Amino acid sequence: MLELILPAVVACAESFADVPESTLFPEESEALGPARHEGRRREFTTVRHCARRALADIGVPPVPVLPGERGAPVWPPGVVGSMTHSAGYRAAAVARSVHVRALGIDAEPHAALPGETLGAVTRPEERERLAALAADFPRVHWDRLLFCAKEAVYKAWFPMAGRRLGFRDASVTFDPAGGTFRAEIVEGTGEEPPAPLVYEGRWTAGPELLLAAVVVPAGPAGIRPEPAAPRTG
C-alpha cells in the first residue's frame, strides 16, 4: 500500500506481520532495553527489518537504526527516512537527501477516533471540514485520517525544526478525489520558522488501514510527488 502514495525516488518496505527471522544490531537491542512486553520487541525489530530492506533499495548496507531525540530514527549520513507501525502493520521509507529534504509516513487503524480525542487534535475549521467530508464520503473515517496526516507531517517537521509541533499547530485540508492533503503550520513555530510552513501529502485508505505520507523536496529543483487517486477499498 505504501508505494501507492510515495514518489519513485523514495524506497519503502512494509510488512503485515512480524518477521520471525528479523534481528537487531547489538546497539539497537541496547537502545530497546528490557521491553515491557514481547509485542513491543517484535514491532521494534520488524520495523527495523523493513528499514534495512528499504535502505538496501537505495544502495545502503545494513546499519543500526537507533532512536534519537523524541524517538525519531537516526539515519545514516545522506539519508532521510521515516518509520511507522500499527496493529498488524510495519513500514519504513527512505530516500537520499540529495533528492528529499525530509519525509514522514504514518499508519493508523481505519476506525473512528475516540470521541474525546477529536477535540484535542483538531482546530475548529478542521472539524467543519471533517463533518462535510463525512457526509459526502462516509466510507472513510476522516477524523482518524486527519490524525494520521498530522503524524506524517510531524515526522517530516521534527528533523528539520528540531522542536515539537502540536496537533493544533497545523490545519489540514483533504482532497478526496485526488488522494492528497495540504497541511499549513499556523502557530507555535516561533518568529523564524526553521522548516516549511506548508506540506503537501498523499493518503490511501484500505478496509482496515489508513496511510499518509509527506515528502519535502530537496531545494527548489527537487522532486514533486506525482498525484494519484486514493485507494478506498
Side-chain angles (χ1 to χ4, degrees):
M1 289 180 66
L2 188 57
E3 65 184 8
L4 297 174
I5 57 173
L6 290 170
V9 75
V10 177
C12 64
E14 60 188 354
S15 177
F16 291 86
D18 288 315
V19 181
E21 65 271 23
S22 59
T23 58
L24 294 175
F25 280 81
E27 303 96 314
E28 292 171 328
S29 292
E30 183 178 354
L32 175 61
R36 296 179 183 176
H37 54 82
E38 184 58 26
R40 168 58 180 153
R41 177 170 291 277
R42 289 198 301 267
E43 72 181 18
F44 185 93
T45 304
T46 300
V47 78
R48 280 158 176 79
H49 175 81
C50 292
R52 284 187 265 279
R53 285 171 49 202
L55 287 168
D57 286 344
I58 61 171
V60 178
V63 294
V65 182
L66 300 176
E69 187 178 0
R70 292 186 177 271
V74 179
W75 300 100
V79 173
V80 298
S82 182
M83 299 191 299
T84 187
H85 50 77
S86 183
Y89 184 79
R90 320 321 187 189
V94 298
R96 294 284 185 178
S97 58
V98 295
H99 301 302
V100 174
R101 183 181 176 190
L103 65 91
I105 62 171
D106 193 62
E108 298 291 335
H110 194 174
L113 281 176
E116 66 275 10
T117 303
L118 184 63
V121 302
T122 58
R123 299 172 59 82
E125 72 273 15
E126 291 177 314
R127 291 192 286 276
E128 292 181 8
R129 294 195 290 259
L130 289 177
L133 286 167
D136 292 338
F137 304 95
R139 293 179 60 190
V140 177
H141 287 286
W142 295 99
D143 53 350
R144 180 80 71 162
L145 183 60
L146 183 138
F147 180 91
C148 187
K150 289 193 174 187
E151 285 284 344
V153 169
Y154 175 77
K155 291 177 182 180
W157 158 273
F158 184 75
M160 295 183 290
R163 61 191 192 213
R164 182 182 176 276
L165 184 72
F167 279 103
R168 287 186 284 193
D169 294 338
S171 182
V172 173
T173 304
F174 288 105
D175 176 1
T180 62
F181 65 90
R182 176 184 175 91
E184 297 185 25
I185 309 303
V186 293
E187 59 183 62
T189 59
E191 295 181 359
E192 296 183 5
L197 296 183
V198 176
Y199 294 81
E200 304 287 346
R202 292 167 62 183
W203 61 271
T204 187
E208 299 180 355
L209 188 69
L210 297 170
L211 292 175
V214 170
V215 178
V216 180
I223 60 161
R224 300 294 174 189
E226 298 176 0
R231 177 185 173 192
T232 58

